[in-house]
Amino acid sequence: MSLVWIAAGEASGDILAARLVAALRTRAPGLRFAGIGGERMAEQGVESLFPIRELALMGLVEVLPQLRNLAHRMSEAEEALRRDRPALLVTVDSPGFTLRLARRAKALGIPVVHYVAPQVWAWRPGRVRKMVGVVDRILALLPFEAPFFEQSGIPVEFVGHPILESEAAHGDAARFPLEGPGLLVMPGSRRGELRRHLPVFSSALPPSITPVVALAGTVEEEVRAETTAWGARYVRTPAEKSDAMAACHAGLIKSGTSSLEAAVAGLPHVVAYRVNPVTAAIVRRLMRVRHASLVNLLAEEEVVPEFLQERCEPNLLRAALLPLIEGGAEATRQRRGFHRALEKLTPPGGGTPSEAAAEAVLRMLS
């Protein structure tokens, strides 16, 4: 039986990897799996080599103090690959860690598929050259990514975005009753994100609303500790979050896949994001796109307002949230924009994105 090694580096990648494992098992029941992941992969029977939360870091300043531990974990993963000799390594997102692991796998003669194209097209297009010879194929989630990477000679397959498979579109507000308007708060799944977002989000909460806070397994304890004073309700499972999205009037959401998830649910929201000032200065010099939100990038216009870095400020966030909580024209405008953005994410061959990704992986194995 072939062994497929799958490495994910954070909560969102853990979900993608788990769906991929499920789709692969349906098509090839004899496959075995090992690797690095979190709770969702564990639910699929894949035991993680070490806790995924150790990789949930972002930003230059946040990563530097952890370099020694990251190097140790990298060596541990390399040794596991050397011992297991899998037929294929699938690296999922988190390119800072996973692409370094991919380079070591290639040195061992192990083929590599990278799932979720790195967003170098957004801010460091020159870095794509470093992926040549490191990965054998990229599975892209966004339709405009394939031409970009193929220019450098890397085979790319657009498989659609797994957000379309999320439970977000099937929430039931009746299962999540709220007293008054609800605001879904999604602060992030990395500790650095929480440190920068939660104090701002706390001061931005409009009066007379019920905050509903989404918990990510890697940082659940930290989020609960920082938001207890809000009188918040918490959601942990995908089903709970979907019901909360259906019940809430608006969302205060960190930039990333969470914004797409809110769009799938039809939840009007604002996007916010802060990083260390040093990281922000570097990124600003390198940015090549007009928008940070994937919803806005896909729609090619600002469907959801973006509050980044110094604009991620309580008064601005609150002012943007109030019209959404009240409903009306702004909420309707956003929902129309969601439809335009999401229709671009369907796999070209039909089926679900995870099924398309599984088919691509099986072609690599054969």
Side-chain angles (χ1 to χ4, degrees):
M1 295 186 295
S2 294
L3 172 65
V4 177
W5 226 83
I6 301 183
E10 57 183 299
S12 59
D14 179 41
I15 294 171
L16 300 189
R19 289 184 183 142
L20 176 61
V21 170
L24 285 168
R25 281 213 168 102
T26 299
R27 285 157 179 74
L31 287 178
R32 296 181 297 123
F33 299 93
I36 302 165
E39 293 181 3
R40 304 304 174 213
M41 284 178 65
E43 290 169 1
Q44 293 297 323
V46 184
E47 183 178 349
S48 184
L49 183 66
F50 52 77
I52 193 176
R53 65 182 298 156
E54 296 183 21
L55 305 179
L57 303 168
M58 185 173 183
L60 301 177
V61 175
E62 291 84 353
V63 170
L64 286 174
Q66 300 298 324
L67 284 179
R68 179 174 294 182
N69 183 59
L70 290 172
H72 170 70
R73 291 307 193 186
M74 179 65 71
S75 297
E76 191 175 352
E78 180 184 11
E79 181 55 35
L81 288 173
R82 191 187 308 276
R83 178 190 67 238
D84 295 345
R85 292 290 171 175
L88 182 70
L89 168 65
V90 180
T91 51
V92 185
D93 208 359
S94 304
F97 182 85
T98 60
L99 291 182
R100 286 178 172 83
L101 181 61
R103 185 171 287 108
R104 299 193 184 197
K106 289 295 290 182
L108 295 171
I110 300 169
V112 178
V113 171
H114 187 70
Y115 189 15
V116 185
Q119 293 184 354
V120 291
W121 44 265
W123 64 294
R124 297 193 72 177
R127 293 195 69 182
V128 69
R129 292 190 296 272
K130 295 186 177 182
M131 295 181 65
V132 177
V134 175
V135 300
D136 296 285
R137 182 168 294 273
I138 293 174
L139 306 184
L141 309 189
L142 304 173
F144 52 77
E145 293 174 323
F148 174 81
F149 285 94
E150 285 170 346
Q151 289 175 2
S152 298
I154 303 174
V156 182
E157 192 164 341
F158 168 56
V159 296
H161 204 297
I163 198 69
L164 300 178
E165 301 171 60
S166 74
E167 298 181 42
H170 308 293
D172 185 348
R175 292 194 294 254
F176 201 87
L178 291 169
E179 293 184 8
L183 177 69
L184 182 70
V185 181
M186 300 180 73
S189 60
R190 299 181 177 105
R191 296 193 236 0
E193 290 174 337
L194 300 182
R195 286 196 300 272
R196 290 185 169 81
H197 293 158
L198 285 175
V200 178
F201 288 7
S202 178
S203 298
L205 296 177
S208 304
I209 59 100
T210 300
V212 180
V213 182
L215 300 173
T218 54
V219 290
E220 179 175 338
E221 293 179 7
E222 292 93 326
V223 173
R224 285 185 181 274
E226 292 295 325
T227 58
T228 299
W230 295 7
R233 291 183 60 179
Y234 297 98
V235 292
R236 193 172 187 278
T237 69
E240 289 173 342
K241 186 163 60 174
S242 299
D243 292 342
M245 285 182 172
C248 286
H249 288 60
L252 174 54
I253 296 174
K254 70 99 181 176
S255 181
T257 306
S258 301
S259 178
L260 276 181
E261 192 174 12
V264 169
L267 178 68
H269 60 280
V270 303
V271 164
Y273 207 76
R274 274 190 178 184
V275 295
N276 179 276
V278 175
T279 303
I282 294 171
V283 170
R284 277 181 171 147
R285 292 175 61 89
L286 299 171
M287 283 293 289
R288 297 293 185 270
V289 293
R290 292 177 55 197
H291 304 294
S293 164
L294 288 173
V295 172
N296 293 341
L297 283 170
L298 288 163
E300 300 182 78
E301 63 175 300
E302 188 171 275
V303 174
V304 297
E306 300 179 358
F307 297 92
L308 310 177
Q309 210 53 19
E310 53 282 315
R311 293 193 73 241
C312 180
E313 187 266 327
N315 291 333
L316 293 177
L317 292 172
R318 190 184 307 111
L321 286 168
L322 287 172
L324 301 181
I325 292 170
E326 294 165 0
E330 177 59 18
T332 299
R333 185 193 68 81
Q334 283 202 19
R335 291 190 177 102
R336 288 174 179 160
F338 296 161
H339 177 74
R340 293 195 300 275
L342 294 173
E343 65 182 3
K344 298 180 180 180
L345 297 180
T346 304
T352 69
S354 291
E355 289 170 345
E359 294 291 346
V361 168
L362 290 174
R363 285 194 293 273
M364 286 293 296
L365 285 171
S366 63

